[in-house]
Amino acid sequence: MALTHAMHDMVADMRDEMHDLTKIASVDASRQGYLAMWASFTALPLLYGLDKFAGFMNVTWSDFMASWMHDVLPGTGDTELYTLGVIELAIAALVFFAPRIGGDLAAVYFTVFAINFFAMDGMALFAFGSIALAFCALAMARMSTKYHHHDG
């Protein structure tokens, strides 16, 4: 019974958020900010994760990994990228369904990638961008406590 109630609440929240996205000009500014970050932090990891498998962005993702990342991730080459892809897809799903938890995990993920970029020559710009994304993910997670009531 509790699971049925939880699913109903989740569907109701999704319906509210999708409705507000389509009518974004009519909701208050702080809700607009939350919805923009929620949609972005759902879409970006989803696209990055799918690209690890499909390669539609024409990005050589392994060029964005420091040598220590190769040591940490299981397997080699494509297997490492598939692992990152699965993690990114999981983050996208968590942000979509449970933005409080998903936002915190996205922040951790972006922080790890900032550390990764700082370990590489000429990648400081990406590192600072990743730090900014981590802070934005944390902000979205905090805002979800007001705008996404049935989070875990």
Side-chain angles (χ1 to χ4, degrees):
M1 184 70 170
L3 182 59
T4 305
H5 184 64
M7 290 297 290
H8 179 270
D9 290 345
M10 187 183 335
V11 169
D13 269 352
M14 292 300 105
R15 186 176 48 243
D16 290 346
E17 283 159 355
M18 298 310 266
H19 174 268
D20 284 354
L21 273 175
T22 62
K23 306 285 185 194
I24 198 158
S26 65
V27 297
D28 68 87
S30 59
R31 174 92 172 138
Q32 288 176 0
Y34 166 72
L35 290 169
M37 288 192 290
W38 175 73
S40 296
F41 284 111
T42 298
L44 289 176
L46 178 66
L47 291 172
Y48 290 162
L50 290 174
D51 191 58
K52 300 292 191 304
F53 295 97
F56 54 85
M57 288 189 209
N58 297 319
V59 175
T60 307
W61 289 106
S62 59
D63 291 347
F64 293 89
M65 291 173 48
S67 58
W68 70 269
M69 288 283 283
H70 293 288
D71 297 336
V72 172
L73 292 170
T76 59
D78 287 342
T79 307
E80 295 170 338
L81 294 178
Y82 295 151
T83 301
L84 290 176
V86 168
I87 292 168
E88 290 162 348
L89 292 172
I91 289 171
L94 277 169
V95 168
F96 186 78
F97 291 112
R100 175 70 174 87
I101 297 165
D104 286 344
L105 289 177
V108 169
Y109 185 79
F110 288 122
T111 301
V112 168
F113 261 88
I115 294 165
N116 167 72
F117 289 136
F118 277 125
M120 300 171 68
D121 289 334
M123 298 293 257
L125 182 64
F126 289 107
F128 287 116
S130 293
I131 290 169
L133 286 171
F135 280 115
C136 289
L138 287 174
M140 186 272 310
R142 296 315 170 267
M143 291 172 79
S144 74
T145 62
K146 178 175 180 180
Y147 294 116
H148 192 90
H149 303 291
H150 302 290
D151 218 356

